[in-house]
Short mmCIF file of all heavy atoms in Angstrom, two decimals:
data_model
loop_
_atom_site.label_atom_id
_atom_site.label_comp_id
_atom_site.label_asym_id
_atom_site.label_seq_id
_atom_site.Cartn_x
_atom_site.Cartn_y
_atom_site.Cartn_z
N CYS A 1 0.83 -1.21 0.00
CA CYS A 1 0.00 0.00 0.00
C CYS A 1 0.86 1.26 0.00
O CYS A 1 0.49 2.27 -0.58
CB CYS A 1 -0.93 0.00 1.21
SG CYS A 1 -2.27 -1.21 1.07
N CYS A 2 2.03 1.20 0.63
CA CYS A 2 2.95 2.34 0.64
C CYS A 2 3.52 2.64 -0.75
O CYS A 2 4.00 3.74 -0.99
CB CYS A 2 4.10 2.09 1.62
SG CYS A 2 3.58 2.06 3.33
N TYR A 3 3.45 1.67 -1.63
CA TYR A 3 3.96 1.84 -2.99
C TYR A 3 3.31 3.04 -3.66
O TYR A 3 3.95 3.76 -4.43
CB TYR A 3 3.68 0.56 -3.79
CG TYR A 3 4.05 0.66 -5.25
CD1 TYR A 3 5.37 0.51 -5.67
CD2 TYR A 3 3.09 0.93 -6.21
CE1 TYR A 3 5.71 0.59 -7.00
CE2 TYR A 3 3.43 1.01 -7.55
CZ TYR A 3 4.73 0.86 -7.94
OH TYR A 3 5.07 0.95 -9.26
N PHE A 4 2.04 3.29 -3.37
CA PHE A 4 1.32 4.39 -4.01
C PHE A 4 1.57 5.72 -3.32
O PHE A 4 1.02 6.74 -3.71
CB PHE A 4 -0.18 4.10 -4.05
CG PHE A 4 -0.54 2.94 -4.94
CD1 PHE A 4 -1.09 1.78 -4.40
CD2 PHE A 4 -0.32 2.98 -6.30
CE1 PHE A 4 -1.41 0.72 -5.21
CE2 PHE A 4 -0.64 1.91 -7.12
CZ PHE A 4 -1.19 0.78 -6.57
N GLY A 5 2.40 5.74 -2.26
CA GLY A 5 2.71 6.97 -1.56
C GLY A 5 3.45 7.98 -2.42
O GLY A 5 3.33 9.18 -2.23
N GLU A 6 4.22 7.49 -3.36
CA GLU A 6 4.92 8.35 -4.30
C GLU A 6 4.24 8.20 -5.66
O GLU A 6 3.67 7.15 -5.94
CB GLU A 6 6.38 7.92 -4.41
CG GLU A 6 7.16 8.08 -3.12
CD GLU A 6 8.59 7.59 -3.28
OE1 GLU A 6 9.11 7.59 -4.42
OE2 GLU A 6 9.18 7.22 -2.27
N PRO A 7 4.32 9.21 -6.49
CA PRO A 7 3.68 9.10 -7.81
C PRO A 7 4.26 7.91 -8.59
O PRO A 7 5.46 7.78 -8.74
CB PRO A 7 4.03 10.41 -8.50
CG PRO A 7 4.36 11.35 -7.39
CD PRO A 7 4.92 10.52 -6.28
N LYS A 8 3.40 7.04 -9.02
CA LYS A 8 3.78 5.86 -9.79
C LYS A 8 2.89 5.77 -11.03
O LYS A 8 1.82 6.36 -11.07
CB LYS A 8 3.61 4.57 -8.98
CG LYS A 8 4.37 4.53 -7.68
CD LYS A 8 5.84 4.29 -7.91
CE LYS A 8 6.51 4.00 -6.59
NZ LYS A 8 7.69 4.65 -6.33
N LEU A 9 3.31 5.00 -11.98
CA LEU A 9 2.52 4.83 -13.18
C LEU A 9 1.45 3.75 -13.03
O LEU A 9 0.47 3.75 -13.73
CB LEU A 9 3.43 4.48 -14.36
CG LEU A 9 4.43 5.58 -14.75
CD1 LEU A 9 5.34 5.09 -15.88
CD2 LEU A 9 3.71 6.85 -15.13
N ALA A 10 1.64 2.83 -12.09
CA ALA A 10 0.71 1.72 -11.92
C ALA A 10 -0.63 2.22 -11.36
O ALA A 10 -0.65 3.09 -10.48
CB ALA A 10 1.29 0.67 -10.99
N TYR A 11 -1.72 1.66 -11.86
CA TYR A 11 -3.04 2.00 -11.35
C TYR A 11 -3.48 1.04 -10.26
O TYR A 11 -4.31 1.35 -9.44
CB TYR A 11 -4.06 1.98 -12.50
CG TYR A 11 -3.85 3.10 -13.47
CD1 TYR A 11 -3.20 2.87 -14.67
CD2 TYR A 11 -4.27 4.38 -13.18
CE1 TYR A 11 -2.98 3.90 -15.58
CE2 TYR A 11 -4.07 5.42 -14.07
CZ TYR A 11 -3.43 5.17 -15.26
OH TYR A 11 -3.21 6.20 -16.14
N TRP A 12 -2.92 -0.17 -10.29
CA TRP A 12 -3.28 -1.18 -9.30
C TRP A 12 -2.15 -2.18 -9.17
O TRP A 12 -1.27 -2.27 -10.01
CB TRP A 12 -4.59 -1.87 -9.68
CG TRP A 12 -4.63 -2.47 -11.05
CD1 TRP A 12 -5.06 -1.86 -12.20
CD2 TRP A 12 -4.23 -3.79 -11.44
NE1 TRP A 12 -4.94 -2.72 -13.27
CE2 TRP A 12 -4.44 -3.92 -12.83
CE3 TRP A 12 -3.72 -4.89 -10.76
CZ2 TRP A 12 -4.15 -5.08 -13.54
CZ3 TRP A 12 -3.44 -6.05 -11.46
CH2 TRP A 12 -3.67 -6.13 -12.83
N LEU A 13 -2.19 -2.93 -8.07
CA LEU A 13 -1.27 -4.05 -7.86
C LEU A 13 -2.03 -5.14 -7.13
O LEU A 13 -3.15 -4.93 -6.65
CB LEU A 13 -0.02 -3.61 -7.10
CG LEU A 13 -0.19 -2.91 -5.75
CD1 LEU A 13 -0.34 -3.92 -4.64
CD2 LEU A 13 1.01 -2.04 -5.49
N THR A 14 -1.44 -6.31 -7.07
CA THR A 14 -2.16 -7.43 -6.48
C THR A 14 -1.24 -8.26 -5.58
O THR A 14 -0.04 -8.34 -5.81
CB THR A 14 -2.78 -8.31 -7.58
OG1 THR A 14 -3.51 -9.38 -7.00
CG2 THR A 14 -1.75 -8.88 -8.50
N LEU A 15 -1.83 -8.84 -4.54
CA LEU A 15 -1.16 -9.76 -3.63
C LEU A 15 -2.04 -10.99 -3.49
O LEU A 15 -3.20 -10.88 -3.11
CB LEU A 15 -0.94 -9.13 -2.24
CG LEU A 15 -0.47 -10.08 -1.15
CD1 LEU A 15 0.96 -10.54 -1.41
CD2 LEU A 15 -0.58 -9.43 0.22
N THR A 16 -1.49 -12.13 -3.86
CA THR A 16 -2.25 -13.38 -3.78
C THR A 16 -1.56 -14.32 -2.80
O THR A 16 -0.34 -14.47 -2.84
CB THR A 16 -2.34 -14.04 -5.16
OG1 THR A 16 -2.93 -13.12 -6.06
CG2 THR A 16 -3.19 -15.31 -5.10
N VAL A 17 -2.35 -14.94 -1.94
CA VAL A 17 -1.83 -15.89 -0.97
C VAL A 17 -2.52 -17.23 -1.20
O VAL A 17 -3.73 -17.33 -1.14
CB VAL A 17 -2.10 -15.41 0.48
CG1 VAL A 17 -1.58 -16.42 1.48
CG2 VAL A 17 -1.50 -14.04 0.71
N HIS A 18 -1.70 -18.23 -1.51
CA HIS A 18 -2.20 -19.60 -1.71
C HIS A 18 -1.91 -20.39 -0.45
O HIS A 18 -0.79 -20.37 0.06
CB HIS A 18 -1.45 -20.30 -2.86
CG HIS A 18 -1.83 -19.82 -4.21
ND1 HIS A 18 -2.77 -20.44 -4.97
CD2 HIS A 18 -1.39 -18.76 -4.93
CE1 HIS A 18 -2.90 -19.80 -6.12
NE2 HIS A 18 -2.06 -18.77 -6.11
N GLY A 19 -2.90 -21.11 0.03
CA GLY A 19 -2.67 -22.06 1.11
C GLY A 19 -2.14 -23.35 0.53
O GLY A 19 -2.15 -23.57 -0.68
N PHE A 20 -1.65 -24.21 1.39
CA PHE A 20 -1.19 -25.52 0.94
C PHE A 20 -2.40 -26.39 0.64
O PHE A 20 -3.37 -26.41 1.40
CB PHE A 20 -0.32 -26.19 2.00
CG PHE A 20 0.98 -25.48 2.24
CD1 PHE A 20 1.16 -24.63 3.33
CD2 PHE A 20 2.04 -25.65 1.36
CE1 PHE A 20 2.35 -23.97 3.54
CE2 PHE A 20 3.25 -24.99 1.56
CZ PHE A 20 3.40 -24.15 2.66
N ALA A 21 -2.36 -27.13 -0.46
CA ALA A 21 -3.48 -27.99 -0.85
C ALA A 21 -3.77 -29.04 0.21
O ALA A 21 -4.92 -29.42 0.42
CB ALA A 21 -3.20 -28.65 -2.19
N ASP A 22 -2.75 -29.52 0.89
CA ASP A 22 -2.94 -30.58 1.89
C ASP A 22 -2.94 -30.03 3.33
O ASP A 22 -2.71 -30.77 4.28
CB ASP A 22 -1.88 -31.66 1.73
CG ASP A 22 -0.46 -31.13 1.88
OD1 ASP A 22 -0.28 -29.89 1.97
OD2 ASP A 22 0.47 -31.95 1.89
N SER A 23 -3.21 -28.75 3.49
CA SER A 23 -3.26 -28.15 4.83
C SER A 23 -4.41 -28.74 5.64
O SER A 23 -5.50 -28.96 5.10
CB SER A 23 -3.46 -26.64 4.68
OG SER A 23 -3.67 -26.05 5.93
N PRO A 24 -4.21 -28.99 6.92
CA PRO A 24 -5.31 -29.53 7.73
C PRO A 24 -6.40 -28.49 8.02
O PRO A 24 -7.54 -28.85 8.29
CB PRO A 24 -4.63 -29.98 9.02
CG PRO A 24 -3.36 -29.22 9.08
CD PRO A 24 -2.97 -28.91 7.67
N VAL A 25 -6.08 -27.19 7.94
CA VAL A 25 -7.04 -26.13 8.22
C VAL A 25 -7.09 -25.21 7.00
O VAL A 25 -6.06 -24.89 6.42
CB VAL A 25 -6.61 -25.33 9.47
CG1 VAL A 25 -7.52 -24.15 9.70
CG2 VAL A 25 -6.56 -26.23 10.69
N SER A 26 -8.31 -24.78 6.62
CA SER A 26 -8.38 -23.86 5.50
C SER A 26 -8.67 -22.43 5.96
O SER A 26 -7.89 -21.54 5.73
CB SER A 26 -9.42 -24.31 4.47
OG SER A 26 -10.71 -24.30 5.04
N TRP A 27 -9.77 -22.17 6.62
CA TRP A 27 -10.11 -20.84 7.07
C TRP A 27 -10.47 -20.91 8.55
O TRP A 27 -11.29 -21.73 8.95
CB TRP A 27 -11.30 -20.29 6.29
CG TRP A 27 -11.01 -20.16 4.84
CD1 TRP A 27 -11.37 -21.03 3.85
CD2 TRP A 27 -10.27 -19.12 4.19
NE1 TRP A 27 -10.91 -20.59 2.64
CE2 TRP A 27 -10.23 -19.42 2.82
CE3 TRP A 27 -9.64 -17.98 4.65
CZ2 TRP A 27 -9.60 -18.61 1.90
CZ3 TRP A 27 -9.01 -17.17 3.71
CH2 TRP A 27 -9.00 -17.49 2.36
N ARG A 28 -9.84 -20.06 9.31
CA ARG A 28 -10.03 -20.04 10.76
C ARG A 28 -9.78 -21.42 11.33
O ARG A 28 -8.76 -22.00 11.08
CB ARG A 28 -11.39 -19.48 11.11
CG ARG A 28 -11.59 -18.10 10.50
CD ARG A 28 -12.52 -17.29 11.26
NE ARG A 28 -12.59 -16.00 10.57
CZ ARG A 28 -12.93 -14.92 11.15
NH1 ARG A 28 -13.22 -14.92 12.41
NH2 ARG A 28 -12.97 -13.79 10.48
N GLU A 29 -10.74 -21.99 12.06
CA GLU A 29 -10.55 -23.32 12.64
C GLU A 29 -11.23 -24.41 11.81
O GLU A 29 -11.38 -25.54 12.26
CB GLU A 29 -11.09 -23.37 14.08
CG GLU A 29 -10.32 -22.50 15.06
CD GLU A 29 -10.78 -21.04 15.02
OE1 GLU A 29 -11.98 -20.78 14.76
OE2 GLU A 29 -9.93 -20.16 15.23
N SER A 30 -11.68 -24.09 10.61
CA SER A 30 -12.40 -25.06 9.79
C SER A 30 -11.45 -26.08 9.20
O SER A 30 -10.38 -25.74 8.69
CB SER A 30 -13.13 -24.36 8.64
OG SER A 30 -14.06 -23.43 9.15
N GLU A 31 -11.86 -27.33 9.26
CA GLU A 31 -11.07 -28.40 8.65
C GLU A 31 -11.06 -28.20 7.14
O GLU A 31 -12.06 -27.81 6.54
CB GLU A 31 -11.70 -29.74 9.01
CG GLU A 31 -10.90 -30.92 8.51
CD GLU A 31 -11.49 -32.24 8.95
OE1 GLU A 31 -12.24 -32.26 9.93
OE2 GLU A 31 -11.21 -33.25 8.27
N HIS A 32 -9.93 -28.47 6.54
CA HIS A 32 -9.78 -28.28 5.09
C HIS A 32 -10.25 -29.53 4.36
O HIS A 32 -9.69 -30.60 4.54
CB HIS A 32 -8.31 -28.00 4.78
CG HIS A 32 -8.02 -27.75 3.34
ND1 HIS A 32 -8.75 -26.89 2.56
CD2 HIS A 32 -7.07 -28.24 2.52
CE1 HIS A 32 -8.27 -26.86 1.34
NE2 HIS A 32 -7.23 -27.68 1.29
N GLY A 33 -11.30 -29.38 3.58
CA GLY A 33 -11.79 -30.50 2.77
C GLY A 33 -10.96 -30.60 1.51
O GLY A 33 -10.68 -29.62 0.83
N PHE A 34 -10.54 -31.79 1.19
CA PHE A 34 -9.69 -32.00 0.01
C PHE A 34 -10.40 -33.02 -0.88
O PHE A 34 -10.58 -34.16 -0.49
CB PHE A 34 -8.31 -32.52 0.43
CG PHE A 34 -7.35 -32.64 -0.71
CD1 PHE A 34 -6.54 -31.58 -1.03
CD2 PHE A 34 -7.27 -33.80 -1.46
CE1 PHE A 34 -5.64 -31.67 -2.10
CE2 PHE A 34 -6.39 -33.89 -2.52
CZ PHE A 34 -5.58 -32.82 -2.83
N HIS A 35 -10.83 -32.58 -2.04
CA HIS A 35 -11.49 -33.49 -2.97
C HIS A 35 -10.57 -33.76 -4.15
O HIS A 35 -10.06 -34.83 -4.32
CB HIS A 35 -12.83 -32.91 -3.42
CG HIS A 35 -13.64 -33.82 -4.27
ND1 HIS A 35 -14.04 -35.07 -3.84
CD2 HIS A 35 -14.10 -33.68 -5.52
CE1 HIS A 35 -14.72 -35.66 -4.81
NE2 HIS A 35 -14.79 -34.82 -5.83
N LYS A 36 -10.35 -32.73 -4.96
CA LYS A 36 -9.45 -32.88 -6.10
C LYS A 36 -8.30 -31.91 -6.04
O LYS A 36 -7.16 -32.29 -6.10
CB LYS A 36 -10.22 -32.70 -7.42
CG LYS A 36 -11.18 -33.83 -7.70
CD LYS A 36 -11.81 -33.66 -9.06
CE LYS A 36 -12.73 -34.84 -9.31
NZ LYS A 36 -13.37 -34.78 -10.59
N GLY A 37 -8.60 -30.62 -5.93
CA GLY A 37 -7.55 -29.64 -6.04
C GLY A 37 -7.09 -29.04 -4.74
O GLY A 37 -5.99 -28.54 -4.64
N GLY A 38 -7.90 -29.02 -3.72
CA GLY A 38 -7.53 -28.41 -2.46
C GLY A 38 -7.36 -26.91 -2.54
O GLY A 38 -6.54 -26.34 -1.86
N GLU A 39 -8.17 -26.25 -3.39
CA GLU A 39 -8.05 -24.80 -3.55
C GLU A 39 -8.23 -24.11 -2.20
O GLU A 39 -9.05 -24.51 -1.39
CB GLU A 39 -9.14 -24.28 -4.52
CG GLU A 39 -8.97 -24.76 -5.93
CD GLU A 39 -9.55 -26.15 -6.15
OE1 GLU A 39 -10.15 -26.72 -5.24
OE2 GLU A 39 -9.38 -26.67 -7.26
N ASN A 40 -7.45 -23.08 -2.00
CA ASN A 40 -7.45 -22.39 -0.73
C ASN A 40 -6.61 -21.14 -0.92
O ASN A 40 -5.42 -21.14 -0.70
CB ASN A 40 -6.85 -23.32 0.32
CG ASN A 40 -6.86 -22.75 1.70
OD1 ASN A 40 -7.45 -21.72 1.97
ND2 ASN A 40 -6.17 -23.41 2.61
N LEU A 41 -7.22 -20.04 -1.40
CA LEU A 41 -6.45 -18.84 -1.68
C LEU A 41 -7.29 -17.59 -1.55
O LEU A 41 -8.51 -17.65 -1.56
CB LEU A 41 -5.82 -18.89 -3.07
CG LEU A 41 -6.77 -18.88 -4.27
CD1 LEU A 41 -6.80 -17.49 -4.89
CD2 LEU A 41 -6.33 -19.89 -5.29
#
């Protein structure tokens, strides 16, 4: 967020966080269900 403190040419930026597909927990204390892909991001 500090990146935009100075004049820059970019209009937006992105931060993506992927969880581990085989993680025992996905969100908060919820057990992570794993069927095919284990999406968690």
Side-chain angles (χ1 to χ4, degrees):
C1 288
C2 291
Y3 175 80
F4 294 116
E6 296 178 25
K8 303 285 190 226
L9 296 177
Y11 291 100
W12 54 269
L13 55 85
T14 182
L15 170 69
T16 303
V17 179
H18 287 264
F20 294 101
D22 59 353
S23 172
V25 175
S26 64
W27 298 99
R28 304 207 179 205
E29 294 83 32
S30 300
E31 184 176 338
H32 182 48
F34 185 91
H35 185 59
K36 290 186 179 180
E39 294 82 5
N40 183 10
L41 65 102

